[in-house]
């Protein structure tokens, strides 16, 4: 159990276009999902916390108009990188928290974004 | 803010050898999590520790949390090539209500057959 699916696994886009990344909890309901960014040989940096039915909470330094997060259902959160630029190229990973009592995050496989 | 320091940064061991990875927090922990990541992939949940002195095992991997809840170690017995990857510790600070995790930079483990 506790499977999180992230799609796409890899995307290459032109500068100025928008890219949507989906994160789905397949066998559990996730009231809270998280979006991370990981640079080469660095740890995960939390970008935002996504709660179902409410606005996402963004970490300091993360532009909310740049990285649009939507958590419309208990099993789906999306991250849209708007007007992507080469500096947005990175590895993006989502996670979903299972249950209210258990504070365990289960991660998707990540999305490698390359902006040309 | 909470910081997690992992040591060593990288480790190369011969298959069959034992090894230990450490994770030290600058603050008392509410929960300590160990994950494994293969390059370019997501994180696989290994174990969660919450109580001081707690120890958990899964197959050949054992994780401990010290009594003061500021340091954890991950021990692998009789390492195998399948253990290779990046091990990350993550922590929820004491009293965190939003369940956000802070991660260490990871320990890259290579196992030589």
């Amino acid at each position: 159990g506790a499977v999180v699916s992230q799609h796409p696994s890899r995307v290459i886009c032109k500068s100025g276009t928008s890219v949507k990344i989906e994160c789905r909890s397949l066998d559990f309901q996730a009231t809270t999902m998280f979006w991370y960014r990981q640079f080469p040989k660095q740890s995960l940096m939390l970008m935002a916390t996504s709660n179902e039915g409410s606005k996402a909470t963004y970490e300091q330094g993360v532009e909310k108009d740049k990285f649009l997060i939507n958590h419309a259902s208990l099993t789906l959160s999306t991250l849209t990188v708007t007007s992507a630029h080469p500096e947005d190229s990175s590895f993006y990973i989502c996670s979903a928290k299972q249950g209210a009592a258990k504070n365990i995050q289960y991660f998707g496989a990540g999305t490698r974004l390359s902006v040309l | 803010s909470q910081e997690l320091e992992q040591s060593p940064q990288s480790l190369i061991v011969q298959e069959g050898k034992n090894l230990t990875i450490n994770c030290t927090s600058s603050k008392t922990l509410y929960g300590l999590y160990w994950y494994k990541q293969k390059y370019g992939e997501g994180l696989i949940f290994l174990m969660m520790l919450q109580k001081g002195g707690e120890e958990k095992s899964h197959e050949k991997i054992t994780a401990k949390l010290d009594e003061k809840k500021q340091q954890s170690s991950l021990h692998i017995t009789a390492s195998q090539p399948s253990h290779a990857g990046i091990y990350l510790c993550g922590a929820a600070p004491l009293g965190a209500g939003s369940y956000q995790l802070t991660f260490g930079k990871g320990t890259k483990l290579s196992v030589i057959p």
Side-chain angles (χ1 to χ4, degrees):
Chain A
V3 177
V4 175
S5 172
Q6 189 172 339
H7 180 81
S9 59
R10 188 177 182 92
V11 58
I12 301 172
C13 68
K14 291 182 179 180
S15 184
T17 61
S18 294
V19 175
K20 180 185 281 188
I21 303 170
E22 291 187 349
C23 182
R24 294 179 184 272
S25 56
L26 297 185
D27 50 1
F28 66 100
Q29 292 184 332
T31 53
T32 306
M33 289 185 173
F34 303 87
W35 288 96
Y36 296 85
R37 185 171 177 176
Q38 187 176 34
F39 293 99
K41 298 184 179 181
Q42 295 292 319
S43 186
L44 283 75
M45 299 298 295
L46 179 66
M47 298 174 66
T49 302
S50 169
N51 292 296
E52 186 266 337
S54 63
K55 291 183 179 180
T57 303
Y58 290 82
E59 294 300 299
Q60 191 173 10
V62 178
E63 298 176 58
K64 61 180 181 180
D65 295 330
K66 173 77 172 175
F67 299 99
L68 299 178
I69 291 173
N70 185 280
H71 194 159
S73 77
L74 287 171
T75 59
L76 174 65
S77 177
T78 60
L79 169 69
T80 302
V81 183
T82 62
S83 187
H85 291 285
E87 58 266 29
D88 298 324
S89 299
S90 192
F91 191 60
Y92 294 88
I93 314 178
C94 71
S95 71
K97 188 176 84 70
Q98 183 186 29
K102 274 191 176 182
N103 186 24
I104 297 175
Q105 293 182 30
Y106 294 94
F107 285 78
T111 297
R112 173 74 59 191
L113 172 63
S114 299
V115 185
L116 306 177
Chain B
S1 63
Q2 179 154 43
E3 292 183 2
L4 293 176
E5 188 170 326
Q6 284 187 240
S7 63
Q9 290 184 356
S10 64
L11 194 54
I12 302 173
V13 299
Q14 198 78 38
E15 181 177 358
K17 296 294 185 183
N18 302 335
L19 63 106
T20 299
I21 298 169
N22 295 301
C23 176
T24 302
S25 170
S26 58
K27 297 182 180 180
T28 302
L29 301 164
Y30 175 73
L32 189 287
Y33 303 75
W34 283 101
Y35 288 86
K36 177 184 174 185
Q37 182 182 30
K38 297 222 165 187
Y39 179 75
E41 298 181 12
L43 279 66
I44 299 169
F45 172 73
L46 296 176
M47 277 171 278
M48 175 184 74
L49 305 165
Q50 281 190 299
K51 299 177 183 176
E54 187 174 10
E55 179 176 319
K56 287 186 178 179
S57 293
H58 176 68
E59 297 180 344
K60 294 185 178 179
I61 301 176
T62 300
K64 300 178 185 179
L65 182 63
D66 75 338
E67 290 289 345
K68 292 184 179 180
K69 296 174 66 174
Q70 282 191 261
Q71 188 167 32
S72 177
S73 60
L74 184 83
H75 185 78
I76 298 178
T77 303
S79 58
Q80 300 170 352
S82 60
H83 287 127
I86 301 169
Y87 289 82
L88 292 154
C89 65
L94 191 66
S98 59
Y99 310 109
Q100 295 174 347
L101 296 183
T102 300
F103 286 89
K105 291 187 176 181
T107 294
K108 183 180 178 181
L109 172 64
S110 302
V111 180
I112 302 171

